[in-house]
Amino acid sequence: MTRCTHALIALLLGPTLMPFAHALDCKTALTQADMNACAYEDFLAANAAQAASIKALETRLKTSDRSRWRSAQKAWIAWRTAQCSFESGTASGGSVREMLRWQCVTRQTQARTTSIERLSTCPEGDLVCPARKP
């Protein structure tokens, strides 16, 4: 490819690949694009917290339970995606739809993280606790 072709691809894909390249102050975001970016940043933080909770839980699970846990988590992710697609779809498109989707995904991720943390810290003697120390 020529340099011109590379420049054209970068120009066309740049906004898609790096939509949040500038520093944002989410407390004062005014444009819809900035609000969308802030909602995405909130999701990234919630997702990182969930990943840490999952790691803590998986260290407590027996090997035989990890596979079942991962299947459950995969199903939950599919449910979250469908649920948030439904919720954000009520916006009938438009620039606010992306923000609504990220807000939904963040909210659902935070709720799931709370559930995961409960699973990994259940008290001794809890018979339904899957995270008994192996």
Side-chain angles (χ1 to χ4, degrees):
M1 281 198 243
T2 67
R3 183 180 295 208
C4 184
T5 305
H6 287 287
L8 181 59
I9 291 171
L11 180 64
L12 293 173
L13 293 179
T16 303
L17 297 176
M18 298 185 344
F20 315 118
H22 66 283
L24 289 174
D25 179 2
C26 290
K27 293 178 184 175
T28 60
L30 296 176
T31 68
Q32 189 60 56
D34 285 350
M35 288 185 267
N36 292 350
C38 290
Y40 176 71
E41 291 295 322
D42 289 344
F43 164 70
L44 290 178
N47 197 53
Q50 185 178 87
S53 294
I54 288 171
K55 184 175 181 178
L57 173 64
E58 286 187 349
T59 62
R60 296 180 56 91
L61 292 175
K62 293 185 263 183
T63 304
S64 59
D65 289 335
R66 274 190 213 118
S67 177
R68 289 186 8 250
W69 158 253
R70 289 177 181 159
S71 291
Q73 183 66 4
K74 185 177 179 181
W76 176 80
I77 290 169
W79 174 85
R80 178 190 68 184
T81 300
Q83 180 66 24
C84 292
S85 177
F86 168 72
E87 285 185 26
S88 64
T90 60
S92 300
S95 61
V96 74
R97 187 175 189 175
E98 182 179 350
M99 180 186 74
L100 295 175
R101 183 175 57 87
W102 286 123
Q103 287 174 339
C104 176
V105 171
T106 299
R107 189 176 59 254
Q108 297 296 341
T109 300
Q110 290 168 334
R112 179 68 169 175
T113 300
T114 299
S115 296
I116 293 166
E117 289 169 351
R118 182 187 52 77
L119 286 174
S120 55
T121 59
C122 45
E124 183 69 33
D126 185 344
L127 298 177
V128 295
C129 180
R132 288 178 234 105
K133 288 186 180 178

